[in-house]
Amino acid sequence: MCIRDRISSSAAPVVSSSSVIIPSSSSVASSSESGNVNTIILQENQAGFCAVDGTIDSNNMGFSGDGFANTDNAEGQSISWQVNAQTSGPATLEFRFANGGDPRSGDLSVNSGANGTQPVTLANTGGWTDWATESVTVDLVQGLNNIKVTATSDQGLANIDSLTVTGAGVSAVSYTHLRAHETSLHL
Ligand code: GCU
Ligand code: CA
Ligand code: CA
């Protein structure tokens, strides 16, 4: 879960200001670095992954991490992530996906469209256990960035195994402290 979801769903419990926790860069997502450009791999159930309109599954082999994000097969279903960037500028997003059906189309938006929206098509990969990658370039702002892919056909998105982000000082946003706190408060 990401901070945006916490804010939008925080009709709920009031927490005293002393319990607010500042998000920190994560050591959970794997990372490599060259100059100030580095690469992080975001996996379901780890830092940087926010939500899927559907399920996290592991029935189709060949995925990395714990499984893959499987949207429900309907238009408007989405998957979202959050990353921090040290400076504004271009970044490459590489989606690893599988698709045993017709091409699945979607709109990729960064920061709710403020930093661009572009169509992505996730082609048939030969089967639900055959994985491929699709890369796009986007502009990130300095600080927190929301990345979201929303299905534009009634079949939903392809199954997404991971999102690899390469950019200037990118890091996955970790909310493990917040989650631990939520658990202890039964929020
Ligand atoms: C199959 C496959 C799912 C996939 C679905 C779909 O049921 O096993 O992982 O998400 O097709 O059509 O989207
Ligand atoms: Ca699906
Ligand atoms: Ca995965």
Side-chain angles (χ1 to χ4, degrees):
M1 181 179 283
C2 60
I3 194 70
R4 180 177 52 83
D5 295 329
R6 284 296 308 158
I7 290 168
S8 62
S9 64
S10 63
V14 177
V15 181
S16 76
S17 59
S18 63
S19 65
V20 170
I21 293 174
I22 307 298
S24 61
S25 296
S26 168
S27 58
V28 177
S30 55
S31 176
S32 57
E33 192 167 340
S34 160
N36 70 334
V37 172
N38 67 304
T39 295
I40 54 175
I41 302 174
L42 307 182
Q43 292 285 2
E44 60 287 329
N45 298 333
Q46 289 189 3
F49 184 91
C50 293
V52 53
D53 292 328
T55 51
I56 303 294
D57 293 347
S58 57
N59 56 324
N60 296 316
M61 294 298 111
F63 55 82
S64 55
D66 292 340
F68 52 87
N70 174 4
T71 63
D72 294 338
N73 292 17
E75 188 175 352
Q77 303 303 287
S78 68
I79 306 175
S80 55
W81 298 263
Q82 277 190 334
V83 297
N84 269 313
Q86 264 169 13
T87 56
S88 63
T92 302
L93 306 183
E94 181 190 87
F95 298 92
R96 186 168 192 260
F97 69 99
N99 179 4
D102 292 336
R104 304 284 172 100
S105 57
D107 275 339
L108 166 66
S109 78
V110 177
N111 300 323
S112 303
N115 285 73
T117 299
Q118 55 184 297
V120 289
T121 301
L122 303 172
N124 180 296
T125 55
W128 292 107
T129 56
D130 295 321
W131 300 85
T133 58
E134 176 75 20
S135 293
V136 295
T137 302
V138 297
D139 285 318
L140 299 182
V141 296
Q142 184 176 31
L144 198 60
N145 290 269
N146 295 304
I147 298 166
K148 185 173 187 175
V149 184
T150 304
T152 51
S153 88
D154 60 8
Q155 299 191 64
L157 296 171
N159 292 339
I160 306 286
D161 176 31
S162 61
L163 171 59
T164 298
V165 183
T166 301
V170 289
S171 58
V173 179
S174 174
Y175 295 96
T176 48
H177 280 89
L178 194 55
R179 280 201 292 268
H181 195 72
E182 285 170 353
T183 303
S184 67
L185 286 180
H186 303 289
L187 298 183

